[in-house]
Amino acid sequence: MAKPSLVITRRIYPEAIEALSAHFNIAFENQASDTPLTKPELIEKLAQAQYLFCTVADKVDADVIAAATQLKMIATGAVGYNNIDAAACKARGIRLSNTPDVLTETTADFAFALLMATARRVSESERYVRSGQWKGWAFDQFTGMDVHGATLGIMGMGRIGGAIAKRGAGFGMQVLYHNRSQAKQENGARLVDRETLLKSSDFVVLVVPYSPETHHFIQAKDIHLMKPTACLINIARGGVVKDDDLLAALRAGKIRAAGLDVFEGEPALLPGFLELENVVLTPHIASSSRATRGRMVSLAAENLIAHVQGLPLKTPVI
Ligand code: DGY
């Protein structure tokens, strides 16, 4: 019997290609480029495909799903799936899987990396050294904020929020959190309302999933509640923060600094961010350790293979 056809939109690890090749006819594998397919390209590639392996950067909207008449399943190599129209999948009976759990600790590590880099001005001082400006030691050189003893506010207490809370406690921080629904992972953190969290925290870390409800979840009115000495860390999704408002607030000194791993319209970002020393910018790499990215790719592949074998999906969304 002919193997079902699978489109893989991006470079993945060889071990996963090998495992998938045993079960699928891989119809398209974008090894040459990290540039996402355009919508017409994706529609064309999916015309005959029954399975899709995609990433956070591929927009699989209702039009794409409607055009992909043979499609049976989508496996995204990410925990967040806001780039995929899950309702359209459900209506067509298309299965969808994601990669929760395997990236929790790595992503929490990175939230702390960004928090520490922002607090202690790591990127800014490294630029200073690299550019040959360092002429000698001084008491007031690159004085930053203490992390130990500070108040950490976590917006979104899911698995990753819980792992960040544990790290905060380890650093001797007072940990607050806010969550729309009842949280299961408190890890010593204290539940407060959204306004209290914004007003009381020295570091506000955003970990909420992106959805129409969390679009521009943080905008000028929220930033203005924060302490002028506070830092905002966004490892959630572009669009959770209204970047124009954040840039204006940083320029006006409404808050001290920001650490940003995600941006509205990424990989594009507001050029104004590049002009500011007090913003640490990274390219959506919170889950990027080799081990964890390997686990994400393998789990997505295992879900596809489970479906083709008629077995339950390991981590189904739908
Ligand atoms: C996710 O898994 O949703 C991340 O953003 C991808 O690294």
Side-chain angles (χ1 to χ4, degrees):
M1 209 171 74
K3 291 183 206 166
S5 137
L6 165 68
V7 166
I8 306 177
T9 61
R10 204 62 46 81
R11 265 181 308 119
I12 62 170
Y13 295 113
E15 60 270 24
I17 294 280
E18 201 185 314
L20 287 165
S21 303
H23 301 271
F24 297 94
N25 170 24
I26 301 178
F28 175 74
E29 185 200 325
N30 192 4
Q31 286 287 350
S33 157
D34 291 329
T35 309
L37 296 171
T38 62
K39 186 165 164 170
E41 283 169 346
L42 187 56
I43 287 176
E44 188 213 313
K45 303 292 175 209
L46 286 177
Q48 304 303 325
Q50 289 149 301
Y51 291 86
L52 170 64
F53 185 139
C54 67
T55 76
V56 283
D58 300 306
K59 197 164 166 42
V60 188
D61 64 15
D63 298 337
V64 172
I65 289 163
T69 54
Q70 310 298 308
L71 201 59
K72 292 183 177 168
M73 180 181 167
I74 302 173
T76 183
V79 65
Y81 53 89
N82 57 290
N83 55 312
I84 300 165
D85 191 328
C89 288
K90 196 167 182 185
R92 274 268 312 281
I94 296 171
R95 303 295 308 275
L96 172 62
S97 67
N98 66 343
T99 62
D101 299 319
V102 293
L103 48 67
T104 300
E105 298 297 332
T106 300
T107 304
D109 283 348
F110 192 78
F112 250 80
L114 209 45
L115 185 155
M116 299 284 287
T118 306
R120 299 300 305 274
R121 304 172 66 181
V122 173
S123 305
E124 185 187 353
S125 57
E126 201 213 353
R127 283 193 291 274
Y128 177 82
V129 173
R130 280 184 186 273
S131 64
Q133 294 178 73
W134 190 28
K135 301 291 179 243
W137 189 94
F139 273 110
D140 59 357
Q141 232 166 27
F142 292 102
T143 50
M145 279 174 78
D146 278 330
V147 171
H148 68 273
T151 299
L152 169 64
I154 302 170
M155 284 284 195
M157 187 52 89
R159 303 175 186 89
I160 298 171
I164 295 170
K166 272 195 283 182
R167 284 159 177 76
F171 269 84
M173 302 177 91
Q174 186 195 152
V175 187
L176 309 178
Y177 77 95
H178 180 69
N179 207 48
R180 281 181 309 154
S181 54
Q182 191 67 39
K184 294 194 188 83
Q185 315 244 348
E186 295 167 10
N187 289 313
R190 184 159 63 86
L191 175 64
V192 292
D193 60 53
R194 177 189 162 97
E195 190 172 325
T196 304
L197 186 144
L198 289 167
K199 283 183 170 164
S200 317
S201 301
D202 298 303
F203 298 93
V204 174
V205 179
L206 304 174
V207 213
V208 291
Y210 180 80
S211 69
E213 292 75 47
T214 57
H215 180 69
H216 290 172
F217 181 72
I218 297 292
Q219 41 187 284
K221 63 178 173 36
D222 309 295
I223 299 168
H224 292 181
L225 291 175
M226 292 171 64
K227 297 180 186 180
T229 50
C231 297
L232 181 71
I233 309 296
N234 187 7
I235 57 155
R237 273 290 182 271
V240 165
V241 175
K242 192 170 178 203
D243 283 352
D244 278 319
D245 287 3
L246 175 60
L247 179 60
L250 287 162
R251 279 187 171 140
K254 297 279 182 201
I255 57 172
R256 179 195 284 258
L260 307 174
D261 187 47
V262 287
F263 306 87
E264 281 194 281
E266 66 186 48
L269 60 131
L270 295 178
F273 283 136
L274 302 174
E275 292 158 15
L276 297 179
E277 290 289 4
N278 57 340
V279 187
V280 178
L281 305 165
T282 53
H284 201 148
I285 54 167
S287 63
S288 189
S289 71
R290 173 58 178 90
T292 289
R293 287 281 166 94
R295 282 193 287 266
M296 290 161 70
V297 168
S298 297
L299 181 54
E302 286 164 22
N303 274 302
L304 289 164
I305 293 168
H307 189 274
V308 92
Q309 292 181 325
L311 298 171
L313 303 189
K314 291 198 151 188
T315 47
V317 174
I318 296 172

